[in-house]
Amino acid sequence: MSQLKQAKSALISVFSKDGLEPIAKRLNELGVTIYSTGGTEKFIKDLGIEVIPVEDITSYPSILGGRVKTLHPKVFGGILNRQENESDVKELEEYEIPQIDIVIVDLYPFEKTVASGASEQDIIEKIDIGGISLIRAAAKNFKDVLCVSSVADYKEFENLLEEKGGETNLTDRKKFAAKAFNISSHYDTAIFNYFNTKEEIDVYKESIQNGKTLRYGENPHQKGQFFGDFEMMFDKLHGKELSYNNLLDVDAAVNLINEFKGEAPTFAILKHNNACGIAQRNSIYQAYLDALAGDPVSAFGGILISNVEIDKATAEEIHKLFCEVVIAPSFSTEAEEILKAKKNRILLIQKETELPQKQVRTCLNGVLVQDKDHKTDAAEDLKQATNNKPTDAELSDLLFASKICKHTKSNTIVLAKNKQLCASGTGQTSRVDALKQSIEKAHSFEFDLKGAVMASDAFFPFPDCVEIAGNAGISAVIQPGGSIKDQLSIDYCNENEIAMVITGTRHFKH
């Protein structure tokens, strides 16, 4: 049953007047009686449209500095009455309550006020009471009332007025009700999270308004969606739509390259969320070539990212490689033209954006939430564990390797030399296996590991890893320490003139 309703009255009370003019004019043309309050009432009157102040219904003025305007039985009775209920209709007549068919509300901008760094008093004043109550009431009674709860929905509502001349069916009203409850729940979540900043209440609430359906999820038989403001982080210059797996790789690439923000030109190539090549050089051109040399096989179909502008010479080299995505703070005009020659290649300009401080993932029948690992090992954090002290070059390589290790799937071992990733063992069930994998891979690409350094994401419970590494030519090691058998590895390093530093910070990544 369509349950058609012809709108005869509307209550309009909004914070932002953007986009309201054509709606008010169309309602007026349709002969709809308009009720309003405060600034909205003045705005509509200034358009030359007749409007009835809510005070004329309630016989009560706006009080407490505007905190109480619409909170009155004559307003909410007009919204919440059930028009098929004889008792409700009689009470409307008895108490002279006008029927309200449309409610248009735009809430106080609470989130924007918080983001602006406003005082607590200003933030509290932007907690909407009347507006949120009107939205909930109108949405609850969608059988009889249509609720427009956001400026973002004005155009759709305007089109509805044009198409149906003020008439709506149950499907229309229920759709707008769903939108309204989305607005109200998002609003309340933002307020709760503001009050729960210190996380004294063990409750997890998150609400993201921007969503996009992807072609599929991790595999073609899985549905996938992305919730977030991608355009806030990137300007997309070229290429196909990003897939679920592309987005995961882009996330990994951004997290890794952010470790090198403001440093010398650094280029990284990632595959399945792990770096297969990364190098830091005096030019981005050389950094790319040396990153590619780390594993030219895995680089095929990879995600490429730079911490500085990509120039023409670098773009010409990149163009020889099949890659899914190229990310940089900027591209020279010539570089952009070269890289756009492949129609599906995705080019992204990374913008300065504050990223979430929490990491969330599903687990069992709930979610796990943790702080992001923002700890980057620095020289001042290091404790010299061995008699041998790392040389300046080794120390530089150790910190370089540690940054990569932090962003590689556990268990992991990273081997580096001269600010270049030689190889890494990723996602192994045994740290020994991760080390053996990295050594074998480095040798397969003809890296000389004599004088290279090793980074481990967690401690060594036995001296087997430092022994294997030493035999391969590794001269310095960085690891978090913390094993009750740390001394066994330290003793081996001392006996074989290998330098070891301990960070005190583990970097598991599961």
Side-chain angles (χ1 to χ4, degrees):
M1 184 175 176
S2 63
Q3 294 189 28
L4 292 173
K5 298 278 184 181
Q6 180 67 45
K8 297 179 181 178
S9 61
L11 170 62
I12 307 176
S13 180
V14 299
F15 180 84
S16 172
K17 315 302 185 290
D18 294 343
L20 183 61
E21 181 177 343
I23 290 174
K25 287 182 175 179
R26 184 59 179 148
L27 289 172
N28 183 56
E29 289 169 2
L30 293 170
V32 174
T33 301
I34 298 176
Y35 302 95
S36 192
T37 63
T40 309
E41 176 192 339
K42 182 180 182 304
F43 176 83
I44 296 171
K45 278 183 177 178
D46 288 346
L47 295 175
I49 297 172
E50 185 178 349
V51 57
I52 299 173
V54 166
E55 290 91 333
D56 288 1
I57 303 175
T58 63
S59 300
Y60 218 89
S62 171
I63 62 172
L64 306 181
R67 278 191 164 196
V68 180
K69 290 180 285 192
T70 56
L71 294 168
H72 194 282
K74 282 199 171 184
V75 174
F76 282 85
I79 297 169
L80 284 166
N81 72 89
R82 296 155 292 187
Q83 292 177 31
E84 293 180 352
N85 184 302
E86 290 184 14
S87 177
D88 284 7
V89 174
K90 285 182 180 179
E91 287 186 7
L92 290 185
E93 294 173 357
E94 180 181 354
Y95 296 108
E96 299 179 337
I97 299 173
Q99 169 64 39
I100 296 174
D101 302 311
I102 296 171
V103 172
I104 303 174
V105 179
D106 172 50
L107 299 173
Y108 292 161
F110 178 81
E111 289 178 282
K112 286 184 179 178
T113 306
V114 172
S116 73
S119 67
E120 181 171 83
Q121 184 56 41
D122 287 341
I123 290 170
I124 298 305
E125 288 304 316
K126 287 298 184 290
I127 298 177
D128 206 312
I129 303 301
I132 203 78
S133 301
L134 290 169
I135 286 173
R136 291 180 64 84
K140 175 180 178 176
N141 201 27
F142 67 88
K143 289 184 75 173
D144 294 311
V145 181
L146 187 138
C147 179
V148 183
S149 55
S150 170
V151 173
D153 296 326
Y154 282 7
K155 194 62 184 176
E156 184 177 352
F157 176 60
E158 187 183 343
N159 292 338
L160 193 65
L161 290 176
E162 289 297 329
E163 292 169 11
K164 297 186 177 182
E167 193 175 66
T168 63
N169 59 36
L170 188 62
T171 301
D172 297 327
R173 297 191 296 276
K174 193 169 185 179
K175 179 182 179 182
F176 274 87
K179 289 172 175 280
F181 283 120
N182 170 51
I183 291 292
S184 66
S185 63
H186 178 80
Y187 198 75
D188 285 340
T189 295
I191 294 169
F192 169 77
N193 285 334
Y194 170 77
F195 278 91
N196 198 41
T197 302
K198 295 181 180 178
E199 299 175 358
E200 294 169 345
I201 303 173
D202 285 332
V203 172
Y204 175 71
K205 292 183 187 292
E206 188 65 63
S207 177
I208 301 173
Q209 293 291 70
N210 301 52
K212 182 177 183 180
T213 298
L214 306 173
R215 281 177 295 158
Y216 51 80
E218 200 163 6
N219 299 292
H221 63 277
Q222 295 169 273
K223 291 181 179 179
Q225 291 173 293
F226 171 70
F227 294 96
D229 192 348
F230 189 82
E231 285 72 29
M232 183 180 288
M233 280 200 66
F234 301 101
D235 285 330
K236 185 182 175 190
L237 302 179
H238 183 71
K240 64 182 181 180
E241 288 295 311
L242 281 91
S243 69
Y244 182 98
N245 292 329
N246 286 154
L247 290 167
L248 285 176
D249 283 329
V250 167
D251 177 67
V254 167
N255 289 329
L256 174 59
I257 209 68
N258 281 348
E259 297 283 353
F260 302 94
K261 188 180 292 184
E263 295 189 14
T266 307
F267 205 105
I269 303 172
L270 290 89
K271 196 75 172 285
H272 296 293
N273 309 157
N274 295 301
C276 58
I278 179 169
Q280 188 173 87
R281 295 291 182 261
N282 292 326
S283 72
I284 198 61
Y285 172 79
Q286 195 59 50
Y288 168 71
L289 292 179
D290 290 347
L292 180 63
D295 186 348
V297 175
S298 296
F300 182 85
I303 306 295
L304 281 57
I305 190 164
S306 168
N307 70 339
V308 298
E309 180 174 277
I310 292 178
D311 56 21
K312 178 184 177 183
T314 309
E316 286 174 339
E317 291 298 323
I318 292 172
H319 191 57
K320 298 173 184 177
L321 175 74
F322 168 73
C323 57
E324 292 271 335
V325 185
V326 184
I327 310 166
S330 59
F331 297 82
S332 72
T333 303
E334 298 94 332
E336 187 177 331
E337 289 177 3
I338 292 166
L339 295 173
K340 281 182 174 178
K342 294 283 178 70
K343 69 174 184 178
N344 287 330
R345 181 186 285 144
I346 299 164
L347 303 184
L348 301 175
I349 290 180
Q350 183 182 349
K351 297 189 278 191
E352 288 288 337
T353 310
E354 186 175 343
L355 295 173
Q357 300 299 302
K358 296 287 185 182
Q359 201 167 33
V360 183
R361 65 195 299 178
T362 58
C363 180
L364 302 176
N365 62 346
V367 296
L368 282 171
V369 182
Q370 67 171 351
D371 295 334
K372 277 194 170 181
D373 184 359
H374 289 301
K375 174 64 178 173
T376 299
D377 297 326
E380 56 268 25
D381 301 321
L382 307 182
K383 174 186 173 184
Q384 185 180 328
T386 53
N387 299 330
N388 265 26
K389 180 181 179 181
T391 65
D392 289 346
E394 286 173 337
L395 180 60
S396 181
D397 278 344
L398 287 168
L399 294 174
F400 176 80
S402 175
K403 291 177 180 179
I404 303 167
C405 193
K406 171 183 166 183
H407 293 277
T408 305
K409 189 172 178 62
S410 299
N411 285 311
T412 185
I413 292 288
V414 168
L415 306 180
K417 185 177 180 180
N418 299 327
K419 295 288 189 73
Q420 179 184 24
L421 173 64
C422 300
S424 61
T426 62
Q428 299 301 302
T429 53
S430 155
R431 197 160 304 282
V432 171
D433 286 345
L435 174 57
K436 289 179 177 178
Q437 181 191 56
S438 62
I439 292 171
E440 180 182 349
K441 187 174 180 180
H443 286 158
S444 73
F445 293 114
E446 300 182 352
F447 279 100
D448 179 5
L449 294 179
K450 185 173 177 58
V453 305
M454 173 174 74
S456 174
D457 60 339
F459 62 63
F460 301 116
F462 305 103
D464 45 6
C465 280
V466 290
E467 181 178 353
I468 295 167
N471 291 335
I474 301 299
S475 62
V477 177
I478 186 169
Q479 58 119 342
S483 168
I484 59 173
K485 295 183 179 180
D486 271 348
Q487 196 59 46
L488 294 177
S489 294
I490 294 169
D491 288 344
Y492 182 88
C493 288
N494 280 331
E495 292 165 6
N496 293 273
E497 298 185 339
I498 299 170
M500 178 186 286
V501 292
I502 290 176
T503 67
T505 304
R506 188 181 73 186
H507 292 293
F508 269 163
K509 184 173 183 285
H510 292 114

